[in-house]
Structures are given as C-alpha cells and as structure tokens.
Amino acid sequence: MAKKANKKTAIVGLGYVGLPVALLAAEKGWQVVGVDNVAAKVSAINAGRAPMKDRALSAALKKYPISATTDYAAAADAAVIVICVPTPVTADNAPDLEPLNSAIRGLRPHLRPGQVLIVESTINPGVMDEAVVPLLKERRDLPLDSDGADKNVLYIAHCPERINPGDRRWTVRNIPRVIGATTNKGVRLAKAFYDSILEAPVKVMASINEAEAVKILENTFRDINIAYVNEMAKSFDKLGIDIEHVIAGAATKPFAFLPHYPGNGVGGHCISVDPYYMIERGRQAGFDHAFLKLARRINDSMPEYTVGVMDAAAAALKLSASTPVALLGLSYKKNTDDLRESPAVEIKKLLGKKKMPLRVFDPFSPAQSNVASLKEALAGGVIVMLGTNHDELVSALTPAALVKAGVKLVIDGKNALDAEGIAKLGISYYGIGRRRLPVANK
Ligand code: SAJ
C-alpha cells in the first residue's frame, strides 16, 4: 500500500507574503500550520482575523481557516517548510539577515531528513549558500542535500516571493515564480509544492544563486528606472516641460520602452531595500555597483527635492511663513496602510523642522495623522502637499474642492491631481517634473 503523501506544510512568517501563501496552500488541500514570532498575529489568525488590513486576505482566512503558533516545533512533521520572513536593511542600509537567521535557528532542532526547506524572503545571490546552509550545518546530525547526497537529506530551495500588496490583478495565485535548489530532488520537491498551489508557471533556474539573482534583478530594474524618470523630472522642471506628457508620448512606442513615473520618492520593503543587498554582496566580491548606488541616491533625494519645490513656489507666491501645510497621505503606496521606508514620512520629518503649522492626514493611518479629516486638514487656506495618491484623497481633491477650501498652493508629490483644472481655477500647481500656473501668475 503506497505511503499516504504527507500534505502538511509549515509557513514561517505570516505577513504580506506568508499569509497569502498559507491561505492558498490551505485552499489547495494542504494541511497548513502558520508559525510566527508575534503572538498577537498568531492569536488574530487563530481567531479568523487577518492581522493586516486586506479584504481579500480576511475573506480567504474565513473560507480556509489555518492554525497558527509561535512554536517552531509545529514544523517537525511538515513535508514542506516555507520561510517568508522580512529581509530589511539596518539604519545605515546594511542587509539585516537577523529575522531570517532567527527563523532558521528556531526551526533547526525540528528539521528532519526528507523535508524540503524553501526560503521565499528576498535575498541576494549567495545568502542560501553562505548564511542559511552554514546555520543548518550547526546541527551535525542533520544531513543536508548541500553535502551532495540526494536522499534522506534535508532539501534546500529558494523561491523568491512576488507578492504585490494591494494588487487585485496579480496575486499569489497567478504570479509566475522561479525556483532554485541544491539538488534535482530538491527542485522536484519544491516545484511539486508550487505546482500544487499556484495557477501559474514555475521556472526552474539552474541554481539557487540564479533564483536569488532573479528577484534582485527584477527589483533593482524597477529602482533604477524610477530613478531615471526622477532625474528627468528634475531636469524638465528646469525646462518647464511636462514629464507626464513626455512619458505618455514615449509610451506610444510599442516596443523597447517601459514607462515608470516620477514622484516624491521610493518607499516600501522591496524596491527601496533590495538594491542594498546586491550593493553589499557586490562590494564583498570586489565589485562596485556605482549605478545601483546612484539610483538609490537619486530616489532618496526626492523627498527633499519635493519640499524644495514647495519652498520655491511659496516664495514665488509670497505666501506668509505661517501658511499651514497639509500633508495628505503617509503610506509608501496608494490604498495601503504600509509606512515602511515611505517618502511621505520623510517629507513629514522635513516639514516638521519648519516654522509653518503642519497638518497631517492619512485615512489609512489615523494614529500618525494630527487631524481627523480632510476637511480639517484643508481649513483656513493651506499649502497642499500630496504625500500618497490614495484613491480617496485624489478623488476628493478636485479643483473645485481645493478652491472651496481656499487652498493657496498645490504640491503634488505623485503627479496624481488635475493640474490643468487646478490652475484654471487660479491655484498654482507644482508636481514632480510638471507644473501649471494660473494665467495671472504666468
Ligand atoms: N514608484 C514610483 N514610480 C513608479 C513606480 C513606483 O515612484 O513608476 C514608487 C511608489 O510610489 C512606491 C515605490 O516606488 O513608493 C515602490 O512601489 P512599487 O509599485 O514597486 O511597490 P512595491 O514596493 O510593493 O513593489 C512590489 C514589488 N513586488 C515584489 O517585490 C514581489 C515589485 O517587484 C513590483 O514590481 C511592484 O510591487 C509592482 O510592480 O507593483
């Protein structure tokens, strides 16, 4: 009688990445146990509540309840263990593998030959071989596939996460993946897991290093392209050319052009972080990633550039230094409550150093706001500083609403507002790489 396949999987790290994987695995028939080191998250999930504001996740959790625990021992009888913990940077932008290392150390006593251990966290080429495997080797009685054997060993694989928070079109279910593993058996086991839960192709890379490099390449690609348009925006500000129009023009080219858009900076736990992992690994290997570092410098300069645009515009309009500024939106990305590495949070810090009264309103972050409504933020004739293009902010900030509130100047950090309409009603509009001045101010 064939042994019944072990369909238990342990998902370690139940955040934006791990929870969607856990719920999809549960939907596809896996017996799922979630492991997380935050007890509050564990109890929320056991009570059927998603620990983050995400309607789709909350609905999935209701439909496919999973059990969660802080105890790594729960992974002992799992066939597949998936690690989805953060890989942030330290305050001086050095890679911080502590969350990954502590997950490995927590799991280590419970790992057994025959299991496949898959890391989804974003890491640079070399981390699996140089950080994860040595940590696992500290358990001398656990044979690893990296020792060359291909049976009765712990199999090790990497499948970089590709979750896009807030995206309804591309989800954990339909985004293609790449995987890399140490041995062919490891590839087979990891691929079998993803083939059983995804409705998307899984590409097998020639090595773990290549799989690590794929995610770094795709995210540094995005960072440098955003930096490129941010630099062009600064240049076009000098020339009075509207970069949004120019990008739209360039995008009529049906090949070899991929539009990215300027803004007040690059935030989030992926694009603004991942390049530093490659920069550091390159440095260790004796290679200087001058281009990646330049892109980081350009993108990190955008919050200060945006405040500079406001200062120059306010001076040109001879607005009094006591004109209040309403910073609208703090999240790094629209329609999320995620503040990690957010440029708008950096702008809040810069504005906080000035004399003018500062009002902060983000509907997704009431705790970080100092007024309770948009109406309160705009009262009395303010300078609007759009920090995040949340749909509900953009739709409320119509030209008519701005005039009605007596707004004196609009700084649009995400080029998301109706520039023409705002200027037509007599309010000066400055975006990033675009501006519209009322006829009177021309
Ligand atoms: N941003 C720009 N201009 C752009 C695009 C983004 O300034 O043209 C800014 C955003 O405002 C934000 C930051 O960059 O502050 C990052 O935005 P993002 O859309 O890249 O969002 P993330 O950080 O959630 O990136 C994720 C990544 N997904 C994974 O790492 C699995 C990234 O690889 C995706 O390309 C991205 O989503 C996406 O395409 O939305």
Side-chain angles (χ1 to χ4, degrees):
M1 161 91 139
K3 202 158 71 78
K4 196 165 171 310
N6 175 348
K7 286 279 285 184
K8 179 172 177 181
T9 179
I11 311 295
V12 179
L14 299 171
Y16 283 101
V17 176
L19 190 56
V21 173
L23 295 172
L24 183 60
E27 177 191 328
K28 299 287 185 174
W30 285 82
Q31 184 208 336
V32 177
V33 62
V35 182
D36 198 288
N37 62 359
V38 176
K41 213 182 265 192
V42 163
S43 45
I45 288 167
N46 286 330
R49 281 194 328 276
M52 68 285 277
K53 271 189 226 163
D54 184 309
R55 271 196 298 275
L57 280 182
S58 303
L61 188 53
K62 287 221 176 343
K63 214 166 159 196
Y64 304 104
I66 59 168
S67 73
T69 174
T70 55
D71 183 359
Y72 285 103
D77 59 346
V80 178
I81 300 166
V82 187
I83 299 181
C84 304
V85 296
T87 43
V89 287
T90 61
D92 53 11
N93 289 324
D96 176 8
L97 289 177
E98 193 37 42
L100 177 59
N101 293 342
S102 65
I104 299 285
R105 282 194 289 267
L107 283 167
R108 190 168 53 198
H110 312 292
L111 297 172
R112 295 186 320 193
Q115 291 177 319
V116 57
L117 178 68
I118 303 168
V119 172
E120 284 212 3
S121 309
T122 303
I123 48 183
N124 56 268
V127 166
M128 293 300 287
D129 295 342
E130 298 156 10
V132 171
V133 168
L135 272 179
L136 293 169
K137 277 190 184 309
E138 285 175 28
R139 222 193 91 185
R140 300 212 182 293
D141 66 329
L142 177 66
L144 306 178
D145 64 354
S146 52
D147 303 336
D150 197 9
K151 53 179 176 301
N152 284 333
V153 291
L154 175 74
Y155 300 95
I156 299 159
H158 177 54
C159 176
E161 61 94 359
R162 279 185 169 164
I163 294 288
N164 186 21
D167 192 332
R168 293 280 167 266
R169 163 91 181 77
W170 292 106
T171 67
V172 65
R173 181 191 305 274
N174 63 4
I175 296 173
R177 298 289 204 99
V178 301
I179 58 169
T182 315
T183 59
N184 292 334
K185 176 107 186 254
V187 166
R188 284 198 303 278
L189 290 170
K191 188 167 188 311
F193 173 70
Y194 286 103
D195 285 344
S196 78
I197 68 169
L198 301 181
E199 294 162 22
V202 177
K203 179 178 175 56
V204 175
M205 305 306 292
S207 68
I208 270 195
N209 270 12
E210 284 189 359
E212 293 165 321
V214 163
K215 178 65 184 290
I216 290 291
L217 189 80
E218 61 194 42
N219 279 7
T220 49
F221 172 85
R222 193 159 171 84
D223 197 44
I224 59 175
N225 276 282
I226 297 166
Y228 160 62
V229 288
N230 280 334
E231 175 171 288
M232 294 307 287
K234 289 180 174 179
S235 165
F236 285 9
D237 267 340
K238 296 273 184 214
L239 300 173
I241 296 173
D242 183 322
I243 190 158
E244 296 291 337
H245 286 181
V246 174
I247 291 167
T252 59
K253 181 176 175 186
F255 51 85
F257 180 76
L258 181 63
H260 285 72
Y261 300 94
N264 57 10
V266 172
H269 52 298
C270 304
I271 308 304
S272 59
V273 166
D274 299 346
Y276 292 115
Y277 276 72
M278 190 67 244
I279 290 166
E280 174 53 19
R281 186 66 189 81
R283 186 192 65 74
Q284 289 167 5
F287 183 77
D288 175 33
H289 271 288
F291 190 23
L292 299 190
K293 289 194 281 191
L294 174 62
R296 290 279 72 242
R297 275 202 307 277
I298 292 171
N299 287 334
D300 281 352
S301 77
M302 296 313 288
E304 192 170 1
Y305 179 77
T306 305
V307 173
V309 166
M310 181 196 81
D311 289 340
L317 290 171
K318 299 187 176 48
L319 294 183
S320 94
S322 59
T323 307
V325 182
L327 173 59
L328 307 176
L330 288 174
S331 304
Y332 87 86
K333 191 176 188 179
K334 70 177 183 176
N335 308 332
T336 74
D337 60 354
D338 199 336
L339 302 176
R340 284 176 291 186
E341 315 285 331
S342 174
V345 169
E346 182 57 27
I347 287 173
K348 177 182 174 183
K349 280 190 209 129
L350 294 170
L351 293 173
K353 292 180 187 148
K354 294 173 171 297
K355 283 197 298 292
M356 66 240 292
L358 174 59
R359 298 177 194 158
V360 178
F361 176 66
D362 185 321
F364 286 81
S365 297
Q368 283 73 26
S369 304
N370 65 9
V371 291
S373 69
L374 181 59
K375 189 165 183 289
E376 205 181 329
L378 297 180
V382 301
I383 297 170
V384 162
M385 169 69 83
L386 186 73
T388 314
N389 51 331
H390 291 314
D391 290 345
E392 68 181 86
L393 287 178
V394 173
S395 53
L397 295 170
T398 62
L402 293 165
V403 167
K404 186 158 175 269
V407 165
K408 295 192 164 47
L409 168 62
V410 171
I411 309 297
D412 182 356
K414 295 293 183 189
N415 290 349
L417 302 178
D418 175 0
E420 309 292 350
I422 289 168
K424 213 170 270 169
L425 291 188
I427 301 176
S428 294
Y429 167 97
Y430 289 78
I432 308 299
R434 65 187 319 220
R435 64 172 170 264
R436 292 290 185 285
L437 304 183
V439 175
N441 300 30
K442 277 219 195 296

